[in-house]
Amino acid sequence: MYESEKKAVLDAAIEIKRNNLISLSGGNVSVRLPDGNFLVTPSGMIYEEMIPDDVVCVDASGKVIEGCRRPSSDLDALLYIFQKMPWVNAVIHTHQPWATAVGLVTDVFPACLVTMIDANRGDVHVAPFTPSGEKQMGVLTVEYAHDAWAVILKHHGVMAFGPTLKDAVYSAVYLEESAKTYMIAKSVGEVPALDPALVAIEADSWKNYGQPTT
């Protein structure tokens, strides 16, 4: 079951690795299925060595209902996010270096670049540290999300999410691109803030990005 959906999850994992958001077997990708179950990447496997059948299907309690692999150790946190944020249908957890670096020097990454505004929808907040595999990662993600489509986990990485898997991928990738620009600029001076009204205009323009669905 879920052959095309499992392939999409694996493709997303390969894409975030191609963009240097994770190394080796770090991070995870998860999606909500229309039937109320969830797909999540397995724990500790190299993405390039995986096949779609390695992606695990679990129910809302975390019980494995399809697959022979152990799901990501962050499963409890991921399921908490899905439970508390019903509009979210995909979550991507990464250890991306530039965005993680931003979280070490500030508590809020201000929306200061168009790609960040487009894909992350606004300021990205930094949540306190919790160890890997703890449900608290999900609790803090929900608490610190505000209106953005990503949260930086201090000393750890990023939770990026959205209504679709594509949205979550864009959120993670463009957050990293923006973080790199921000950190380079901050190393030589203060980064000017954008007028909130202009941020709102830019965020609204994302609605017209891409091709219409048929």
Side-chain angles (χ1 to χ4, degrees):
M1 296 174 62
Y2 314 116
E3 286 82 3
S4 62
E5 292 88 348
K6 289 178 179 178
K7 183 179 184 303
V9 166
L10 182 53
D11 288 346
I14 296 296
E15 181 66 17
I16 62 172
K17 192 167 187 180
R18 189 178 69 84
N19 281 274
N20 300 312
L21 306 191
I22 53 176
S23 300
L24 299 174
S25 59
N28 47 70
V29 178
S30 56
V31 299
R32 187 198 307 269
L33 296 166
D35 62 7
N37 293 322
F38 302 88
L39 295 178
V40 60
T41 48
S43 177
M45 291 189 69
I46 303 294
Y47 296 104
E48 291 88 348
E49 297 176 357
M50 288 170 51
I51 60 173
D53 280 346
D54 290 318
V55 176
V56 186
C57 182
V58 302
D59 66 14
S61 71
K63 178 183 176 182
V64 175
I65 60 175
E66 184 175 302
C68 60
R69 302 297 187 183
R70 185 172 62 182
S72 168
S73 59
D74 295 327
L75 181 61
D76 287 347
L78 301 172
L79 291 177
Y80 183 90
I81 295 169
F82 284 122
Q83 177 190 359
K84 298 297 183 179
M85 304 174 76
W87 65 272
V88 168
N89 293 311
V91 179
I92 293 176
H93 172 47
T94 73
H95 300 150
Q96 53 199 81
W98 286 100
T100 305
V102 170
L104 295 177
V105 299
T106 186
D107 291 329
V108 180
F109 181 10
C112 59
L113 294 159
V114 292
T115 49
M116 180 183 179
I117 298 166
D118 292 343
N120 305 130
R121 317 307 295 162
D123 297 346
V124 175
H125 292 254
V126 180
F129 172 76
T130 53
S132 298
E134 292 194 356
K135 181 180 178 179
Q136 187 69 1
M137 289 170 55
V139 174
L140 291 174
T141 295
V142 173
E143 180 181 347
Y144 281 79
H146 300 279
D147 295 324
W149 288 9
V151 171
I152 297 171
L153 307 173
K154 189 177 284 289
H155 302 281
H156 189 155
V158 166
M159 287 287 194
F161 39 84
T164 70
L165 184 55
K166 180 179 179 180
D167 289 322
V169 170
Y170 270 66
S171 177
V173 172
Y174 280 146
L175 178 63
E176 185 71 350
E177 179 183 85
S178 300
K180 182 176 182 180
T181 303
Y182 177 81
M183 291 296 280
I184 292 171
K186 196 170 178 63
S187 70
V188 295
E190 287 301 312
V191 178
L194 271 174
D195 185 324
L198 294 177
V199 172
I201 292 171
E202 176 61 32
D204 190 62
S205 73
W206 185 250
K207 297 175 183 177
N208 299 317
Y209 183 77
Q211 300 299 309
T213 56
T214 55

